[in-house]
Amino acid sequence: MEKMSRVTTALGGGVLTGRTMHCHLDAPANAISVCRDAAQVVVAGRSIFKIYAIEEEQFVEKLNLRVGRKPSLNLSCADVVWHQMDENLLATAATNGVVVTWNLGRPSRNKQDQLFTEHKRTVNKVCFHPTEAHVLLSGSQDGFMKCFDLRRKDSVSTFSGQSESVRDVQFSIRDYFTFASTFENGNVQLWDIRRPDRCERMFTAHNGPVFCCDWHPEDRGWLATGGRDKMVKVWDMTTHRAKEMHCVQTIASVARVKWRPECRHHLATCSMMVDHNIYVWDVRRPFVPAAMFEEHRDVTTGIAWRHPHDPSFLLSGSKDSSLCQHLFRDASQPVERANPEGLCYGLFGDLAFAAKESLVAAESGRKPYTGDRRHPIFFKRKLDPAEPFAGLASSALSVFETEPGGGAMRWFVDTAERYALAGRPLAELCDHNAKVARELGRDQVAQTWTMLRTIYCSPGLLPTANLSHSMGKGGSCGLQLMNSFNLKDMAPGLGSETRLDRSKGDARSDTVLLDSSATLITNEDNEETEGSDVPADYLLGDVEGEDDELYLLDPEHTHPEEPECVLPQEAFPLRHEIVDTPPGPEHLQDKADSPHVSGSEADVASLAPVDSSFSLLSVSHALYDSRLPPDFFSMLVRDMLHFYAEQGDVQMAVSVLIVLGERVRKDIDEQTQEHWYTSYIDLLQRFRLWNVSNEVVKLSTSRAVSCLNQASTTLHVNCSHCKRPMSSRGWVCDRCHRCASMCAVCHHVVKGLFVWCQGCSHGGHLQHIMKWLEGSSHCPAGCGHLCEYS
Amino acid sequence: MVSVINTVDTSHEDMIHDAQMDYYGTRLATCSSDRSVKIFDVRNGGQILIADLRGHEGPVWQVAWAHPMYGNILASCSYDRKVIIWREENGTWEKSHEHAGHDSSVNSVCWAPHDYGLILACGSSDGAISLLTYTGEGQWEVKKINNAHTIGCNAVSWAPAVVPGSLIDQPSGQKPNYIKKFASGGCDNLIKLWKEEEDGQWKEEQKLEAHSDWVRDVAWAPSIGLPTSTIASCSQDGRVFIWTCDDASGNTWSPKLLHKFNDVVWHVSWSITANILAVSGGDNKVTLWKESVDGQWVCISDVNKGQGSVSASVTEGQQNEQ
């Protein structure tokens, strides 16, 4: 288990090793303090006062300082501190106001040294002078701070905070005479130890009690304070007025704050309520903790870094009666867990993408703002190995468009607005829509429309005689179709392989059927394709060799995969002419030379990829039936609609469905239709195309869809007497039990349409009022008003 | 293929964790570690700050827009264990509800399809998923799925509203019988599909196993003309899977590996017609993927190419600020 592996840190001559571990205490801890050798820790609480040796694998109890016959209140510790110069010297603050010092060097079992009973209430904090061996400071709930010289029996001086209670006192590490104290009223005071009469400076640091403070171990001016307002603030005390430099917002009130050794911007905090975790913050990143220790099951009461020059070991005591050693490396790091990127696909095919800025900058090969004076401090990245997440994080948010020039979904809006779906003959609708699609550069869709026109309009006009003229003509007619399904200008690699595999079975039998006319067809085919420029547009590559014969196309045109052909647009307008006229062999020849043929074939082309097996079948049938009634294509059209829908172009599916109406509706099951309709309507509404959406709803044949327009219309009726809304029936009020609307003419209740004069608000049945007004323009109710109805 | 149309100066003070466009694509909501949620009007390439929502006490991980038929409603979830539902009324955004039912960071929020009413699913690091249903008059009913994912749930995504059987037979005026489903992804490397039983309880319907590390995001594809159900998932293991289910009962899901990236993949997002998938990874790249007709997923675009201009414009912006 890597997580629990040991960490070894060399510190000057000594070496610190250890792992994340914890031990059970007999009672809840209130405070802990570490000996300067970093090998022992003292734990103090209401009913515990013990020294533990920190060994590599475990804590070992070394000494129990709670001795004596009966538990004294003097031993109920609120705070404990171990002198950082003298390994034998400890001080505790008792809840009864007593300050006790302990000398571990005493030979007797009772190590108690001195007892100061000067404070009247609980002593919240004791603090040794960092360099002076005999100076001890205490801060109490009674509002006083006292300075003791351990060589004397009484306090040397008393400082009055002029306030209710002192929560913390801390000697400055650098300024010999200075200490800071924090108060329950939100103030922080700075004192000179030589001047007990008044404080040097005072400022309001927090809203509510300031529970703790800590001087920065290196920067002499920095003081961190933590309060009940859930904030940790870092103050620059060197300036004349304390300046707030950083403000960290935690989740719960801050009970303890401790700067992390060797990491200029890190500090650890714990809370006395709600939150049991210990957090390490980078003060420049005030919103997300850099690390989090989640070992404790109850509130953490004391935290201490094990060694003043080692950033990786943190010790903590908790109300859950446990003592822990945390390894920074094992901490959970919310920053690391946090998602650094946001991504969203917008409606118009645009992408919103937010990403960490440093990453962005690094990617473009740009120096990430190192030392550039023009940039504010938080853009500078100081590379500090001890701080793996150095630097403030910020994100860049960009909106991309997935296609240049207008949102990728612009076509959808344009198409929706311009399509004609009803009110004109089918042929015109198809032509119009084809034109719209072509103008929007959607050739495939345009071709589909022209093809639909061909299928559903032209064959009906074709004299049957022409079609059944001869096998030859029928064959050539079929040929055009067959040719075309090799032509692909739809998405390349359209899965034709699998399709062909599937079609093989069908195709085999087709070959037999085709046999009789095979010669003729092949001839014509050659005639048609050879010497024309059309084949260049063909894409035959994915047709396997054995399938070639099925298509009866000259095999030399089997090009390997080629880019999809783009068809000349001028070919379209002439297309129907080609199909309309019975194609005679010589006629065909002509057209094969002209680009028109490619146009007409291409039209059919987009049909074909939908399912070639069907086209094969229908063609072979055509050879026998010698005519092409639209029904033959219904399967094809159905598959085409499915294809479009699956491609995400439900617009096309629905538009075709509406335009073709009865011609295809029966082939597609109602549920699918309904699904398409609702999907399309939903899309239209997202694009705020209310009119189009309405039209679609109106034109839809699905009952569930067409009732959509009614579903969202609500009529609110209020009673004309009591002015309350009428719930169940529209004509009698549930509350005042009166009929709301009486006809002024017949004096009966109006249950349906009620017309009334807006001048006198009398009215009645439409019929009656109309009749009345024929005879008189006065109100039928007799109010004398000259009613006006428009 | 891809170009930057707008670089939004969010003035967030820390990392942005999510950005979501609203139903009409006109507003963009962002949320950040700096505890704020911001809403921008991004119409016509502009960027007007509409609202700066403060109320969370920790980094805000995700935001979600509700369907506009319920008004302008935005949900946000945060590290502070809370979910806040914000509502715009008379042009001002205000906190309308606060849900504090989780014991740990709430990582994901997602609104159910509008057909179901206002229902919000929230996935949390405490392993639970809670479902908030608006019952009218400012009241929200809470249902909780405990231990949905051990160690934590990272993402939730609703299935599009699908009605079993035809709508036709439904008597008019009566609400159709929807089967509510959503997918969740978690730290147990699993994707789970949840289904509401007839008694209103949520039951685990499926467990999709393929990832070898935390699942970071799941996205159920919108059902626009598609006959199949599709879910995209991405993970810490760098892999993106596309899960499809063809049968009506919804019991057999088959994964298809879209791609194995070299870094964590944070997000997957479907285009509205569900034919393009955007994927963003730890290398700060966004790639767009489309399924070719033979069923293979191909990368059609690489947003990273536009990245140079992103950072350039960002830098310019900063210099202008100096």
Side-chain angles (χ1 to χ4, degrees):
Chain A
M1 233 174 109
E2 196 205 8
K3 207 176 180 241
M4 290 302 168
S5 65
R6 240 177 293 144
V7 161
T8 308
T9 319
L11 292 161
V15 169
L16 272 188
T17 60
R19 60 184 185 93
T20 295
M21 58 185 182
H22 69 97
C23 83
H24 183 74
L25 309 172
D26 307 325
N30 272 346
I32 62 167
S33 187
V34 193
C35 176
R36 70 163 184 175
D37 66 1
Q40 294 172 85
V41 59
V42 58
V43 181
R46 277 183 180 271
S47 49
I48 184 172
F49 189 23
K50 281 180 181 174
I51 289 173
Y52 286 86
I54 310 164
E55 298 193 348
E56 279 193 22
E57 301 291 326
Q58 63 196 341
F59 291 104
V60 175
E61 186 180 327
K62 220 179 149 199
L63 187 62
N64 188 354
L65 292 159
R66 274 178 82 90
V67 288
R69 304 151 304 277
K70 59 181 174 86
S72 152
L73 267 184
N74 297 347
L75 288 170
S76 169
C77 305
D79 192 28
V80 64
V81 64
W82 205 318
H83 202 294
Q84 287 308 300
M85 297 181 64
D86 187 347
E87 287 177 18
N88 285 327
L89 191 55
L90 288 164
T92 57
T95 48
N96 62 354
V98 174
V99 174
V100 191
T101 60
W102 308 78
N103 184 358
L104 301 179
R106 282 170 74 117
S108 70
R109 257 185 85 220
N110 191 345
K111 309 288 186 193
Q112 188 173 319
D113 195 18
Q114 292 213 62
L115 210 74
F116 303 101
T117 49
E118 296 191 20
H119 285 295
K120 292 183 186 69
R121 295 179 64 191
T122 301
V123 179
N124 286 321
K125 206 77 188 179
V126 280
C127 176
F128 279 114
H129 194 279
T131 47
E132 202 55 57
H134 304 287
V135 178
L136 177 69
L137 192 65
S138 69
S140 159
Q141 199 73 15
D142 60 15
F144 292 99
M145 295 144 277
K146 286 178 188 291
C147 185
F148 306 95
D149 187 324
L150 301 185
R151 293 163 293 196
R152 295 166 61 167
K153 286 249 178 285
D154 302 307
S155 63
V156 182
S157 45
T158 301
F159 310 86
S160 169
Q162 310 285 342
S163 164
E164 249 183 48
S165 43
V166 185
R167 295 310 299 234
D168 201 354
V169 282
Q170 293 289 338
F171 272 114
S172 165
I173 290 164
R174 295 296 168 88
D175 288 331
Y176 187 89
F177 297 110
T178 309
F179 73 89
S181 54
T182 69
F183 293 86
E184 225 151 64
N185 61 4
N187 285 347
V188 171
Q189 294 178 353
L190 216 57
W191 291 83
D192 187 312
I193 205 155
R194 300 160 294 187
R195 295 196 55 182
D197 53 329
R198 60 179 197 78
C199 65
E200 297 287 298
R201 195 192 293 178
M202 183 169 87
F203 61 95
T204 304
H206 289 267
N207 194 1
V210 188
F211 290 134
C212 53
C213 66
D214 196 32
W215 290 94
H216 197 284
E218 294 154 34
D219 281 281
R220 66 196 243 147
W222 286 18
L223 179 73
T225 58
R228 197 175 63 188
D229 59 4
K230 305 179 186 178
M231 286 194 250
V232 176
K233 291 182 179 176
V234 179
W235 305 89
D236 183 354
M237 306 295 280
T238 52
T239 49
H240 183 62
R241 289 186 62 185
K243 199 176 85 193
E244 185 183 322
M245 299 177 66
H246 298 284
C247 178
V248 175
Q249 306 188 17
T250 71
I251 294 176
S253 61
V254 183
R256 300 270 192 265
V257 58
K258 286 273 181 279
W259 286 99
R260 186 175 172 208
E262 308 289 306
C263 294
R264 202 181 138 91
H265 291 105
H266 284 198
L267 48 80
T269 66
C270 66
S271 169
M272 55 170 59
M273 273 179 276
V274 189
D275 203 349
H276 309 160
N277 301 336
I278 303 164
Y279 300 95
V280 177
W281 303 85
D282 184 320
V283 292
R284 297 161 302 173
R285 187 99 197 266
F287 306 108
V288 201
M292 186 165 91
F293 300 102
E294 300 166 295
E295 277 83 1
H296 287 300
R297 300 275 75 88
D298 202 337
V299 289
T300 309
T301 47
I303 49 175
W305 293 96
R306 188 169 155 188
H307 190 279
H309 293 290
D310 183 288
S312 47
F313 294 90
L314 180 72
L315 298 163
S316 70
S318 158
K319 278 259 191 310
D320 65 4
S321 306
S322 73
L323 173 68
C324 268
Q325 170 169 275
H326 312 275
L327 245 66
F328 197 78
R329 210 185 55 188
D330 295 342
S332 77
Q333 304 188 348
V335 177
E336 297 298 299
R337 265 189 73 157
N339 195 335
E341 290 170 359
L343 176 69
C344 172
Y345 225 121
L347 185 60
F348 292 90
D350 37 1
L351 274 174
F353 178 50
K356 238 165 108 178
E357 207 155 53
S358 55
L359 280 171
V360 177
E363 290 241 335
S364 62
R366 202 174 291 269
K367 285 271 176 195
Y369 315 115
T370 323
D372 192 336
R373 287 249 179 93
R374 287 173 305 167
H375 295 109
I377 178 80
F378 45 86
F379 283 121
K380 286 185 195 161
R381 277 194 66 195
K382 195 181 143 206
L383 291 169
D384 188 345
E387 297 176 53
F389 16 74
L392 185 110
S394 61
S395 298
L397 175 63
S398 301
V399 180
F400 296 89
E401 60 186 359
T402 43
E403 275 164 30
M409 289 297 279
R410 195 65 63 189
W411 62 266
F412 179 91
V413 179
D414 287 343
T415 312
E417 280 170 345
R418 293 171 57 188
Y419 265 3
L421 298 177
R424 283 191 255 172
L426 177 61
E428 263 181 57
L429 290 177
C430 288
D431 282 345
H432 175 86
N433 293 345
K435 192 166 147 259
V436 168
R438 202 159 45 240
E439 279 169 20
L440 292 169
R442 305 177 70 219
D443 290 334
Q444 177 192 333
V445 173
Q447 282 159 22
T448 310
W449 281 113
T450 23
M451 232 160 43
L452 286 171
R453 183 193 198 281
T454 312
I455 295 168
Y456 288 99
C457 306
S458 312
L461 306 171
L462 275 179
T464 325
N466 282 348
L467 267 176
S468 55
H469 222 47
S470 69
M471 287 300 264
K473 276 172 195 166
S476 65
C477 205
L479 248 178
Q480 288 196 353
L481 281 169
M482 288 199 291
N483 284 350
S484 59
F485 61 73
N486 296 319
L487 237 185
K488 292 215 321 247
D489 76 328
M490 302 190 84
L494 214 54
S496 40
E497 274 172 19
T498 49
R499 224 174 41 252
L500 284 172
D501 285 346
R502 188 152 38 88
S503 71
K504 268 174 206 163
D506 306 332
R508 286 284 166 236
S509 55
D510 290 344
T511 333
V512 183
L513 292 172
L514 284 165
D515 245 18
S516 56
S517 58
T519 3
L520 181 59
I521 292 167
T522 318
N523 288 341
E524 281 192 9
D525 180 57
N526 286 339
E527 269 179 335
E528 181 198 282
T529 47
E530 276 170 17
S532 76
D533 53 348
V534 176
D537 288 333
Y538 286 177
L539 189 78
L540 305 171
D542 50 359
V543 176
E544 288 160 22
E546 51 174 333
D547 289 316
D548 283 348
E549 52 177 312
L550 302 178
Y551 298 92
L552 305 170
L553 274 174
D554 33 355
E556 67 258 35
H557 289 306
T558 29
H559 305 298
E561 287 281 355
E562 251 173 36
E564 44 196 284
C565 60
V566 178
L567 292 149
Q569 297 207 347
E570 59 271 38
F572 296 110
L574 293 164
R575 173 221 19 92
H576 57 268
E577 182 197 318
I578 295 156
V579 185
D580 282 354
T581 26
E586 66 288 330
H587 203 136
L588 233 177
Q589 180 71 57
D590 289 341
K591 278 174 202 138
D593 290 333
S594 75
H596 302 161
V597 172
S598 72
S600 79
E601 284 171 351
D603 293 344
V604 196
S606 16
L607 257 188
V610 174
D611 201 323
S612 63
S613 67
F614 280 119
S615 70
L616 262 179
L617 271 176
S618 53
V619 167
S620 60
H621 280 227
L623 290 175
Y624 283 88
D625 291 351
S626 302
R627 36 173 296 164
L628 294 164
D631 276 358
F632 280 148
F633 297 100
S634 60
M635 294 307 238
L636 211 58
V637 172
R638 186 198 67 182
D639 290 342
M640 179 200 73
L641 292 185
H642 277 287
F643 170 81
Y644 274 114
E646 278 173 44
Q647 291 290 303
D649 189 358
V650 75
Q651 179 178 52
M652 184 64 186
V654 172
S655 303
V656 172
L657 206 56
I658 293 175
V659 167
L660 293 182
E662 286 304 330
R663 297 176 187 86
V664 282
R665 199 177 304 138
K666 57 185 180 302
D667 298 316
I668 298 163
D669 70 286
E670 292 223 26
Q671 229 185 303
T672 315
Q673 285 189 38
E674 208 180 284
H675 182 58
W676 289 348
Y677 271 120
T678 43
S679 303
Y680 186 43
I681 290 165
D682 200 51
L683 276 181
L684 288 171
Q685 291 183 346
R686 284 195 79 161
F687 285 101
R688 309 194 189 211
L689 298 164
W690 314 114
N691 291 339
V692 185
S693 148
N694 241 4
E695 195 191 344
V696 170
V697 171
K698 218 163 67 189
L699 291 172
S700 79
T701 45
S702 160
R703 236 192 311 156
V705 175
S706 45
C707 73
L708 277 178
N709 261 4
Q710 291 140 33
S712 52
T713 312
T714 321
L715 259 171
H716 295 282
V717 187
N718 280 21
C719 173
S720 59
H721 298 289
C722 64
K723 310 281 187 268
R724 295 230 179 84
M726 299 199 291
S727 48
S728 55
R729 283 155 296 181
W731 48 275
V732 61
C733 178
D734 291 333
R735 290 208 176 68
C736 58
H737 302 289
R738 284 170 73 172
C739 294
S741 38
M742 305 288 279
C743 178
V745 181
C746 69
H747 300 284
H748 281 95
V749 182
V750 184
K751 291 186 183 176
L753 197 60
F754 180 84
V755 286
W756 78 97
C757 166
Q758 293 190 331
C760 65
S761 72
H762 290 117
H765 294 105
L766 176 66
Q767 301 292 330
H768 295 163
I769 296 289
M770 275 167 72
K771 222 171 185 177
W772 176 271
L773 286 172
E774 281 170 18
S776 162
S777 59
H778 286 275
C779 179
C783 71
H785 186 253
L786 276 168
C787 292
E788 281 176 45
Y789 293 92
S790 50
Chain B
M1 180 88 188
V2 175
S3 53
V4 185
I5 48 173
N6 193 1
T7 300
V8 182
D9 176 20
T10 59
S11 62
H12 274 300
E13 294 163 50
D14 206 313
M15 207 189 276
I16 297 170
H17 298 296
D18 198 18
Q20 289 293 325
M21 293 206 219
D22 73 344
Y23 186 80
Y24 298 121
T26 55
R27 283 178 300 184
L28 182 69
T30 60
C31 62
S32 156
S33 271
D34 70 5
R35 297 158 187 232
S36 68
V37 174
K38 295 189 183 192
I39 301 172
F40 297 90
D41 188 325
V42 289
R43 263 178 296 188
N44 310 320
Q47 38 161 312
I48 305 155
L49 180 69
I50 301 175
D52 183 351
L53 309 176
R54 308 260 168 181
H56 280 296
E57 293 173 311
V60 189
W61 298 137
Q62 238 178 49
V63 284
W65 290 95
H67 192 277
M69 72 183 277
Y70 300 104
N72 289 323
I73 298 175
L74 185 73
S76 61
C77 63
S78 158
Y79 183 71
D80 67 3
R81 306 160 193 192
K82 284 188 282 199
V83 174
I84 296 182
I85 293 162
W86 311 87
R87 180 189 277 274
E88 185 196 42
E89 245 160 304
N90 306 322
T92 49
W93 283 88
E94 263 164 31
K95 191 194 282 185
S96 118
H97 181 68
E98 189 174 294
H99 171 57
H102 285 285
D103 303 326
S104 188
S105 166
V106 186
N107 300 321
S108 183
V109 281
C110 184
W111 290 101
H114 64 91
D115 319 62
Y116 305 160
L118 265 184
I119 306 179
L120 184 71
C122 324
S124 161
S125 285
D126 64 8
I129 296 169
S130 57
L131 292 130
L132 311 182
T133 310
Y134 189 66
T135 52
E137 285 157 25
Q139 296 302 306
W140 293 81
E141 181 197 287
V142 183
K143 270 180 203 161
K144 203 163 172 185
I145 307 171
N146 284 313
N147 292 318
H149 290 276
T150 39
I151 327 179
C153 172
N154 293 328
V156 282
S157 176
W158 284 85
V162 178
V163 185
S166 176
L167 267 177
I168 307 286
D169 303 328
Q170 296 288 334
S172 59
Q174 203 173 321
K175 273 199 177 171
N177 227 351
Y178 289 110
I179 293 184
K180 296 176 195 150
K181 278 188 194 181
F182 69 88
S184 64
C187 302
D188 51 5
N189 310 347
L190 294 174
I191 296 147
K192 289 185 177 178
L193 305 186
W194 305 87
K195 182 179 160 189
E196 195 187 42
E197 300 283 286
E198 275 167 23
D199 58 359
Q201 293 306 304
W202 286 88
K203 214 183 123 195
E204 181 183 321
E205 192 192 31
Q206 282 282 311
K207 207 181 268 178
L208 308 183
E209 237 174 314
H211 287 293
S212 56
D213 206 336
W214 290 12
V215 178
R216 278 299 182 172
D217 199 6
V218 285
W220 205 310
S223 145
I224 301 283
L226 292 169
T228 53
S229 296
T230 309
I231 297 174
S233 69
C234 64
S235 155
Q236 201 100 342
D237 65 9
R239 290 187 289 178
V240 175
F241 279 102
I242 306 292
W243 304 81
T244 47
C245 170
D246 292 315
D247 67 321
S249 55
N251 291 328
T252 28
W253 287 83
S254 45
K256 176 164 222 153
L257 183 65
L258 177 114
H259 189 65
K260 165 99 173 67
F261 294 84
N262 293 326
D263 208 336
V264 187
V265 185
W266 294 103
H267 276 299
V268 281
S269 179
W270 291 99
S271 70
I272 50 160
T273 48
N275 48 359
I276 300 175
L277 182 73
V279 177
S280 82
D283 49 2
N284 241 29
K285 263 187 194 173
V286 181
T287 43
L288 302 180
W289 299 78
K290 195 176 165 116
E291 192 180 16
S292 64
V293 205
D294 54 349
Q296 292 304 313
W297 285 87
V298 281
C299 180
I300 56 166
S301 177
D302 203 329
V303 176
N304 192 43
K305 284 169 191 157
Q307 205 86 91
S309 54
V310 180
S311 48
S313 56
V314 165
T315 321
E316 275 162 32
Q318 283 155 4
Q319 282 170 352
N320 292 341
E321 280 167 20
Q322 308 304 308

